[in-house]
Every structure is written in C-alpha cells, then in structure tokens.
Amino acid sequence: MTDRPYVTLSCAVSLDGRLDDTSPARLLLSNPEDFDRVDAVRARHDAILVGANTVRRDRPRLMIRSPERRAARERRGLPVDPVKITITASGDLDPGSPFFIAGTAAKIIYTTSSARDAVAGRGFDATVVDAGQPLALDRLLDDLAGRGIRRLLVEGGGMILSEFLAHGCYDELHLAIAPIVVGDPAAPGLAATRLDDRLRLTEVRRLGDVAVLHYRTSTALDHSLRRLLAPARAVLLDFDGPVTPLLADGRDALVADRVRQALAASRIELPDELRTTSDPLDLLDWATATRLGADTAAAADRACTEGEVAAARIAPLTTDADALLRACRTAGLPVIVVSNNASPAVSAFLDRHGLAGLVAGIVGRVPGRPELMKPAPDPIRRALTLLVPYGIEAASVCVLIGDSVTDIEVGRRTGIPTIGYVRSGRRPALDQAGADATVDEHAPVMAALMNQGIPR
Ligand SMILES: NC(=O)c1ccc[n+]([C@@H]2O[C@H](COP(=O)([O-])OP(=O)(O)OC[C@H]3O[C@@H](n4cnc5c(N)ncnc54)[C@H](OP(=O)(O)O)[C@@H]3O)[C@@H](O)[C@H]2O)c1
C-alpha cells in the first residue's frame, strides 16, 4: 500500500468530448451551478494541478471562490486555498499570470531533470521540483505525498488528463457534460490513449443543463478503505442506516406521532413545523429547548424510545449488516454501535436478529439530553470508555461508519476517520462534510477488512 495522494480528475467536456475549441478565447462549457460544484470540489482538496498550457491559455487563478468554503477550510486549520501545481518541460510560463500572483497559496512547478535548473533560474514564485527524465507521474505523486498532500485535484488540460488516465494515476473522475458540440477534431479532448479498464459509475447529477458524472477506478475505493482500516482497532457503527433502515418506510412518522401525543399533555402549542414533522428527534430537541419541565421531556423521550423499540421489531436488516459485523469479529475489531436512537431499540433489533453477541457495546441517546447526541462528542467519549477493556483509548484508532452528516461531523471533531454509508443520494452531503471514504454497500468495507492480513 502506498501513501500517494488520492487523485481526482475533473473537467468539463462538450457532447463530443472536447475540453475547449481552438479559438483564442476560452470556451465556457460549465454553467454557474457547475462552477459552484467545482468550487466545492476544490475546497475538499489539498492541491490543484493544471498543465502549463492551461496556465498559458486560460490564466486560471485556481482559488476557492466561496467565502464560506474559505472560512470552513480555515476553521479546519487548512490554508484557505489549495496548493497550486503545474507541469512544464519548457518553463515557458508568465511569472505575472494569475497562477503565480493570485492569492497566497504555495505553488509548485514539476519539470524534467534536464529543465530543472533552467526553470528554477527563471525566478518564479514557486518551488521547482525535478520529476525525472522523462517526467514521471509516480515520482510527482510521491513528492506530493512527502509534502503532506493527501488529496490532489487535476483539472486539465487534455494532455495532463490523458497522462494521468493512461498511467492509471487517479482514483476518481468527475466529468461535467455540457450541451455543446464543438465539432472540431483539432480541439483538445479528454483522452488520447485507449483505457482498458471499465470505470465504475458512482454518481449522476443534473445541474441545470449540465450532467455531472462521477466514476471511480475499481481499485480506488479498495485503496482508500484499506488505508483507513489498516490502523483501525475498533469500529464505531451508526445504527439507523448501516445496520437497519429503522425509521424508513414511514416508521419515523409513527414515532413522531407518539412523541407528539406525549407532548400534548403539556398543553403547550407546538410550532407549525413540528406539527407535521416526521423526525421525532426534532420534537425531543424542542421539548428540551423550550423547558417544558423534566417530566414532559422525559415522557417525550419515553414515547420516542417505545416507538423506536416498536420499529426495531419490524425493521429489516440492512443488506450485509450481519456480514459486516462478522467480518469485524473475524478481523479482531470490536464494534460499538453509536446511535442517536435509544439503546433499548438497538438491543431489541440486535437480539431479534441474533447479532447481539457480535457487538461489544451500545451507546444510545441519553434520555432528556438531546444536546448530547451526535455531532456532540459525548457518544464517542462513551464509546471509548467501552473500548478501554480492549486496550483501546485513542479515537484515532477507531473508524466510524455512518450515514448522516452528523456522523461525519462527529468523526471530524473527535479525530475519528469516517466511512460514509450512502443511502438515498446523500453522497454529495457526506463527501462535502468530509467523509474519508464513501460506500453504498458494506461489501467493499468487508473486503478491505479481510484483505488486511487479519485476524490479528
Ligand atoms: N474543459 C475543462 O475542464 C478544461 C480544463 C482545463 C483546461 N482546459 C483546456 O485544455 C486546453 C489545454 O490543454 P492541453 O492539452 O493543450 O495542455 P495541458 O494539458 O494544459 O498542458 C500541457 C503542457 O503540460 C506540460 N506537460 C504535460 N505533460 C508533461 C510531461 N510528461 N513532461 C513535461 N511537461 C509536460 C507541457 O508544458 P510545456 O509545453 O510548458 O513544456 C505541455 O505542453 C486549453 O484549451 C484549456 O482551455 C479545459
């Protein structure tokens, strides 16, 4: 296993696969919504790479536009803009181009061994690095890894994308398809070399008149999961979603109705949005925040717990959830279920499916204290306490699998790597929240667990 950065290739193409036309002006393929999507993608990467010809022709700034995304990076202790990288053999770059002068990001120029000194001698405001003769992408990626770059976004142009594709130096490909036909075979295209691999289509989105497709190499996911799971000594597993769709198929509304009935005793009018909400936890939040009294809040929580237990008696098992628990057992990783649902509901479900023996502990909602639910760190602290007998004390040696943004957020706050379990189109939200990997089934996680050379 290598530490090379996770590489995302990203570009916009016309319907006939062109990245630009051959006129001097840059062809705008994306629309404003798609530019904003790219901005969000940039914000999730440590560095952005473009070829020298793109630097010359498009004069890109390669900065994050959204003030919110810039502020969020700063809060996470990251530089507001990703590092800017280009590749050149000629060194024919304008030191006054926005690549060099816009923003405060560090800049790196990768060049060939023979050109290194000449390029360095031109006084660019950038670190100039010899990447071999001929320039080797593996060497470039190793060098980036050594500089702490974990996620690299490659935005083009055609020659650069072709090289990353041809050498298999990528994990994901984001393709925005614009409703334009360039109709010029001389215009730059995405790939100049045939690829034998069939990629996995992982997402299809419509942004106005642009279609955005995400692909992964079949090995990419394995790679990131194995990297995440290699140091893991315990798994923290969310319940509603990864183990069972507990409150799906209208069961959430039934639980919310029970809670509303309990709250009716207080004779305090519910705000409009809570009269119809199907999320019982919203009602518990409100009951506590409006200080209805300990008795009412406790009654609401009891009603919620009863509703969740009732749901646990009929909810199905998520596909392969049992196999995932068995794989963790075989791999020697204790599993703690960490849920915002009540512990009795988790127990009832695990008992019903004969899975209780595969779980080392359950951390559920603290009655009357909704403010302690994920993304608050309290459930993680309690899970770590349950892991002490296993000799595990550090959050960093756990992996959290969850299907909500709150799971990813609590992972980030407590230093636990996270695997987003995607259901109902939530992948962008989980990616955006900073999930270290996302899966839409348990099988790849199980495969990564079994491939670690375990049991240990
Ligand atoms: N639609 C989109 O999403 C998108 C995104 C980006 C760019 N573009 C378009 O793509 C076009 C530019 O693409 P392009 O294919 O002409 O150029 P490019 O890929 O941007 O850059 C090619 C240049 O990179 C350097 N280079 C590439 N591989 C190298 C290697 N192995 N060793 C050393 N240097 C290497 C060379 O620079 P030197 O010549 O300096 O040696 C080469 O000329 C522009 O029209 C731009 O608008 C479109």
Side-chain angles (χ1 to χ4, degrees):
M1 209 166 64
T2 151
D3 276 341
R4 82 160 169 76
Y6 189 91
V7 177
T8 308
L9 308 183
S10 169
C11 63
V13 291
S14 62
L15 290 176
D16 51 342
R18 300 292 156 193
L19 294 159
D20 196 0
D21 57 20
T22 47
S23 70
R26 180 179 168 201
L27 175 68
L28 286 188
L29 290 153
S30 291
N31 59 22
E33 290 152 281
D34 188 49
F35 280 126
D36 187 58
R37 173 194 64 83
V38 173
D39 198 57
V41 173
R42 282 182 176 179
R44 296 200 296 272
H45 286 78
D46 301 318
I48 309 176
L49 184 152
V50 294
N53 213 18
T54 297
V55 174
R56 287 189 286 265
R57 264 183 70 94
D58 293 358
R59 302 180 68 79
R61 292 156 48 92
L62 304 182
M63 294 169 65
I64 293 166
R65 292 179 195 198
S66 147
E68 293 77 28
R69 291 182 189 122
R70 296 174 70 80
R73 281 178 64 95
E74 216 165 14
R75 279 198 302 278
R76 291 169 62 190
L78 300 172
V80 284
D81 286 306
V83 172
K84 303 186 204 180
I85 301 167
T86 192
I87 301 182
T88 180
S90 71
D92 178 15
L93 293 164
D94 170 10
S97 69
F99 177 92
F100 291 108
I101 63 171
T104 53
K107 277 86 57 182
I108 307 175
I109 300 174
Y110 286 95
T111 189
T112 54
S113 308
S114 58
R116 155 77 181 67
D117 290 349
V119 176
R122 294 196 52 191
F124 295 115
D125 175 20
T127 305
V128 179
V129 180
D130 169 3
Q133 190 73 34
L135 184 143
L137 291 185
D138 283 339
R139 186 159 161 179
L140 177 153
L141 291 172
D142 282 348
D143 183 79
L144 284 176
R147 293 171 195 273
I149 302 294
R150 292 178 57 222
R151 296 179 73 96
L152 171 68
L153 179 64
V154 179
E155 290 199 3
M159 189 187 292
I160 292 293
L161 290 168
S162 286
E163 288 180 34
F164 274 81
L165 282 166
H167 289 91
C169 293
Y170 67 106
D171 300 281
E172 252 180 85
L173 169 65
H174 298 178
L175 204 61
I177 302 182
I180 294 173
V181 175
V182 171
D184 180 352
L190 171 60
T193 314
R194 182 192 161 111
L195 284 188
D196 291 327
D197 282 348
R198 199 176 163 90
L199 305 188
R200 286 176 65 220
L201 178 65
T202 54
E203 196 178 322
V204 178
R205 274 167 88 190
R206 179 187 178 142
L207 291 177
D209 62 1
V210 168
V212 183
L213 310 182
H214 285 194
Y215 297 91
R216 284 188 193 207
T217 56
S218 40
T219 52
L221 185 59
D222 297 349
H223 173 78
S224 51
L225 287 174
R226 285 168 69 169
R227 187 163 51 185
L228 276 177
L229 289 165
R233 297 189 50 217
V235 170
L236 308 189
L237 186 62
D238 178 34
F239 179 59
D240 186 2
V243 178
T244 169
L246 181 75
L247 297 184
D249 300 325
R251 290 186 287 277
D252 53 351
L254 294 177
V255 180
D257 281 343
R258 282 185 186 239
V259 179
R260 260 187 293 268
Q261 279 163 23
L263 288 173
S266 75
R267 299 182 189 287
I268 295 183
E269 287 246 321
L270 286 175
D272 279 352
E273 67 277 12
L274 292 185
R275 275 192 217 140
T276 51
T277 183
S278 57
D279 186 344
L281 298 184
D282 284 350
L283 290 156
L284 294 189
D285 270 344
W286 179 81
T288 313
T290 44
R291 299 184 198 288
L292 296 180
D295 288 351
T296 312
D301 200 286
R302 256 194 324 274
C304 189
T305 300
E306 286 163 11
E308 288 172 344
V309 170
R313 295 211 176 97
I314 52 171
L317 195 66
T318 295
T319 306
D320 281 341
D322 49 347
L324 175 68
L325 290 173
R326 282 193 199 94
C328 291
R329 162 67 57 90
T330 310
L333 304 184
V335 176
I336 307 288
V337 175
V338 180
S339 175
N340 283 346
N341 300 120
S343 302
V346 179
S347 294
F349 184 85
L350 295 175
D351 285 343
R352 184 178 139 230
H353 289 275
L355 299 172
L358 294 174
V359 165
I362 298 171
V363 169
R365 186 174 65 241
V366 180
R369 300 291 304 275
E371 77 282 7
L372 294 184
M373 292 192 292
K374 294 175 285 182
D378 180 71
I380 304 300
R381 273 195 220 113
R382 288 190 285 142
L384 287 175
T385 310
L386 295 177
L387 288 169
V388 171
Y390 296 86
I392 298 166
E393 291 182 10
S396 58
V397 295
C398 300
V399 165
L400 174 65
I401 304 175
D403 73 338
S404 306
V405 166
T406 48
D407 292 309
I408 310 306
E409 277 175 9
V410 77
R412 241 186 32 221
R413 284 186 194 179
T414 55
I416 300 185
T418 51
I419 299 174
Y421 178 78
V422 178
R423 53 171 179 159
S424 45
R426 288 193 200 165
R427 191 187 298 274
L430 298 181
D431 280 341
Q432 182 84 35
D436 294 290
T438 46
V439 294
D440 46 21
E441 51 184 356
H442 289 315
V445 178
M446 284 151 36
L449 281 169
M450 302 326 280
N451 285 333
Q452 307 272 12
I454 1 191
R456 46 190 150 180

